[in-house]
Amino acid sequence: MGRHVTFVLQTAQEGFGHAVYCAREAVGGEPFLLMLGDHIYRSGSDTTCASQLLEAYQRHGQSLVGLRRTPEDQIGSFGTVTGVWLEGESLLGISAFAEKPTPDYARTNLRVPGFPEGEYLTLFGQYIVKPKLFDYLKEHIENNVREHGEFQLTSTLDRLRQEDGFMGLVMNGRRFDIGRPEEYLETLVAFRH
């Protein structure tokens, strides 16, 4: 397994953006698949969630994030996006990222075309990102640009979107956030068989 997996330590808890930045040398100058370590992913088809993203990246060559439909009362816990549909209601050209928005902000700025009121697109926890992201994270770290006391990822994703474009793929699957006690219990139930 050691030939296929590389572990990188984040020696200080400085935020999600900082954790990703710690992996820059291991990633090298290549686009990379980022999956949250406190999530478990289950596909709704024979194609894994990661493979769904990889296929879309290979078709379009643009940084990409997995998305899921989320009710308004939950968006305060997730990064949220909006944009324009490129392929049905599955592939979105992202026009804005917001980290854990309030419902009022989302109603004004994050509505998704064709979605009912009170429903939004939030981040699924899987990304394929071009390595230019590391340059933006480095700027934030060197200039001590923090959000809520930490180096965040969402604002650097938005900068990458502005300079190179960014797409979102509505995933055919489910993600279980085992870092949240109520979802950990749901995960145990879902995977019991």
Side-chain angles (χ1 to χ4, degrees), residues 97-113:
F97 282 93
E99 180 63 25
K100 300 178 181 174
T102 65
D104 286 339
Y105 181 87
R107 285 183 211 117
T108 303
N109 300 289
L110 299 171
R111 301 277 306 140
V112 177

Side-chain angles (χ1 to χ4, degrees), residues 88-100:
E89 284 192 0
S90 64
L91 189 67
L92 187 79
I94 295 175
S95 61
F97 282 93
E99 180 63 25
K100 300 178 181 174

Side-chain angles (χ1 to χ4, degrees), residues 1-151:
M1 186 171 172
R3 289 178 293 201
H4 303 287
V5 176
T6 300
F7 291 93
V8 177
L9 296 178
Q10 180 188 23
T11 56
Q13 292 184 353
E14 296 281 354
F16 184 29
H18 181 263
V20 171
Y21 183 71
C22 290
R24 72 195 175 286
E25 290 180 23
V27 168
E30 299 292 325
F32 60 99
L33 174 64
L34 170 64
M35 298 187 302
L36 300 184
D38 61 353
H39 285 41
I40 295 175
Y41 307 97
R42 176 180 258 177
S43 178
S45 71
D46 291 337
T47 305
T48 67
C49 296
S51 292
Q52 292 172 42
L53 281 176
L54 288 168
E55 289 170 8
Y57 182 82
Q58 288 168 346
R59 282 194 323 267
H60 300 282
Q62 198 167 63
S63 293
L64 184 72
V65 63
L67 300 172
R68 70 183 193 116
R69 294 174 83 123
T70 305
E72 184 176 88
D73 65 340
Q74 295 178 19
I75 62 171
S77 298
F78 305 104
T80 306
V81 303
T82 191
V84 295
W85 292 112
L86 303 173
E87 293 177 7
E89 284 192 0
S90 64
L91 189 67
L92 187 79
I94 295 175
S95 61
F97 282 93
E99 180 63 25
K100 300 178 181 174
T102 65
D104 286 339
Y105 181 87
R107 285 183 211 117
T108 303
N109 300 289
L110 299 171
R111 301 277 306 140
V112 177
F115 272 30
E117 193 170 314
E119 188 171 74
Y120 298 89
L121 284 172
T122 60
L123 303 184
F124 186 76
Q126 291 187 339
Y127 314 68
I128 296 179
V129 186
K130 291 185 178 179
K132 184 72 174 161
L133 179 75
F134 291 119
D135 295 339
Y136 306 144
L137 288 168
K138 181 179 180 182
E139 282 180 27
H140 279 210
I141 291 166
E142 287 179 348
N143 295 306
N144 200 28
V145 177
R146 296 171 183 261
E147 299 162 65
H148 310 291
E150 298 180 325
F151 300 109

